[in-house]
Amino acid sequence: MPETRGLQLLSTLEESGTLTVELVEQTLPEPTGHEVLIRVEAAPINPSDLGLLFGPADVANADYSPRKIVAKMPEGGTRAMKARWGMAMPVGNEGAGTVIAAGDAPEAQALLGKVVTCIPGGMYAQYRLVDARECMVLAEGTSAEQGASAFVNPLTALSFVECMKREGHTGLVHTAAASNLGQMLVRICQEDNVPLVNIVRSPAQVAILKEIGAEHVVDSSAPTFHDDLAAALSATGATMAFDATGGGKLVTQILSAMERVANANAGYSRYGSNSPKQAYIYGLLDLSPTVLQLNFGFSFGINGFLLMPFLQKIGEHNVERLRQRVRDGITTTFASKYKARVDLEQALTREAVLDYNARRTGEKYLVVPN
């Protein structure tokens, strides 16, 4: 098979603070060994992709032209990303498509003609050369669109429950809970009989989760939010939270409510309750500073959570166990919904960028490169 040419999306940040996001021609060699060549047919835009694609750059006032965006990065963002200055970085963590060529290794040859999903990075491209051993074959009849989001959200949601069990907690709190990931977590917790408190930001999002059977849904915009949250925590016994917002006071509010429940029938202690309380921040939907008010005692933990380090920690056997569960439930438990589908050029239009970069819950975009 001759070389293959196609478009690929790259993001480059210069020391000056100029961010250039553009489509460029790429030439891929014939696959060898364990390599397979995938014709990419679907790739989701996740918040983790937006961090590399634009970060905090001013996309509202950027210069838009066909196949190219030039934006200004704030000085703080430019300094924080010094390690990527001058590097043209491919974007798109995960995606799915059809294997159209393969190296001579048996593992690669076995994938010829198959629809596969993978998470190698650089999936906002028409073609992608990857290691066959990193690919997951989709079941017969499962489309690339159905399998495009088979890694980041499903494995993250499953990892929340896995982490909870490993650390000795028995119930979960999740924020931005009406998202695709949040709806997956609702279904997982229903299947696993795990008590779950869902925090959303509007009555409409409450309705979304109630419709799929979520029992405890709390609206942070309601005047009764603090009491509603405490009641849900009391009913579930949840003492571990996963927060997608990052900024603002929400983590403090959750831990404070946990402490309030723990102290409901306890005597006074200047150190607070002995009840363990753990919050993991795994997203930055709110880019404002994280505000912590230490009114929840001293038995607490606040940490960041990243999927890949967690999967490395639990080991290959357990990762495969989680992946098999995703394979089995890719069109049910782990199904994703998309607000819009765009090709590579449409993904760089001002209208699309301002929409998907707003990171509104339940409004995920899907890139369809071919």
Side-chain angles (χ1 to χ4, degrees), residues 299-356:
S299 183
F300 73 92
I302 301 173
N303 300 83
F305 184 91
L306 288 172
L307 175 61
M308 293 307 177
F310 179 78
L311 295 180
Q312 291 171 358
K313 183 170 69 173
I314 67 174
E316 186 175 339
H317 173 76
N318 287 308
V319 172
E320 181 54 35
R321 171 173 55 83
L322 300 183
R323 289 179 63 170
Q324 184 59 52
R325 185 166 177 180
V326 176
R327 288 189 193 97
D328 294 341
I330 195 64
T331 61
T332 53
T333 303
F334 304 102
S336 289
K337 297 178 182 178
Y338 302 99
K339 174 184 178 179
R341 292 152 183 79
V342 290
D343 63 26
L344 288 170
E345 294 191 21
Q346 292 167 339
L348 296 187
T349 62
R350 187 176 189 275
E351 179 183 10
V353 168
L354 294 185
D355 197 24
Y356 65 71

Side-chain angles (χ1 to χ4, degrees), residues 7-10 26 28 36 38 40 42-44 46 48-49 52 88-96 117-131 134-135 148 151-152 308 369:
L7 294 173
Q8 182 180 38
L9 194 152
L10 299 176
Q26 65 165 341
L28 293 95
V36 294
I38 299 173
V40 182
N46 293 310
S48 54
D49 298 309
L52 177 58
M89 305 191 72
V91 190
N93 283 325
E94 64 180 333
T117 182
C118 53
I119 185 169
M123 289 299 281
Y124 298 158
Q126 291 180 308
Y127 301 95
R128 185 72 171 87
L129 203 62
V130 303
D131 191 314
E134 297 178 359
C135 296
F151 287 91
V152 175
M308 293 307 177

Side-chain angles (χ1 to χ4, degrees), residues 50-187:
L50 293 172
L52 177 58
L53 191 60
F54 302 120
D58 184 6
V59 294
N61 297 299
D63 178 23
Y64 291 83
S65 56
R67 297 190 178 185
K68 189 174 184 179
I69 302 171
V70 179
K72 189 66 178 177
M73 185 74 70
E75 184 178 346
T78 302
R79 287 197 308 269
M81 300 179 192
K82 182 177 180 179
R84 61 168 289 192
W85 287 354
M87 298 174 60
M89 305 191 72
V91 190
N93 283 325
E94 64 180 333
T98 302
V99 175
I100 59 173
D104 55 10
E107 295 92 336
Q109 286 290 312
L111 299 186
L112 263 176
K114 299 289 182 63
V115 180
V116 300
T117 182
C118 53
I119 185 169
M123 289 299 281
Y124 298 158
Q126 291 180 308
Y127 301 95
R128 185 72 171 87
L129 203 62
V130 303
D131 191 314
R133 293 164 293 189
E134 297 178 359
C135 296
M136 185 167 75
V137 178
L138 297 176
E140 190 74 27
T142 302
S143 68
E145 178 173 320
Q146 290 173 314
S149 295
F151 287 91
V152 175
N153 283 351
L155 289 178
T156 300
L158 285 170
S159 292
F160 291 170
V161 177
E162 188 80 9
C163 181
M164 178 202 76
K165 293 176 180 177
R166 287 171 176 266
E167 296 190 15
H169 297 263
T170 57
L172 290 174
V173 180
H174 186 224
T175 71
S179 65
N180 272 325
L181 188 156
Q183 293 182 48
M184 288 180 192
L185 186 60
V186 168
R187 294 190 287 265

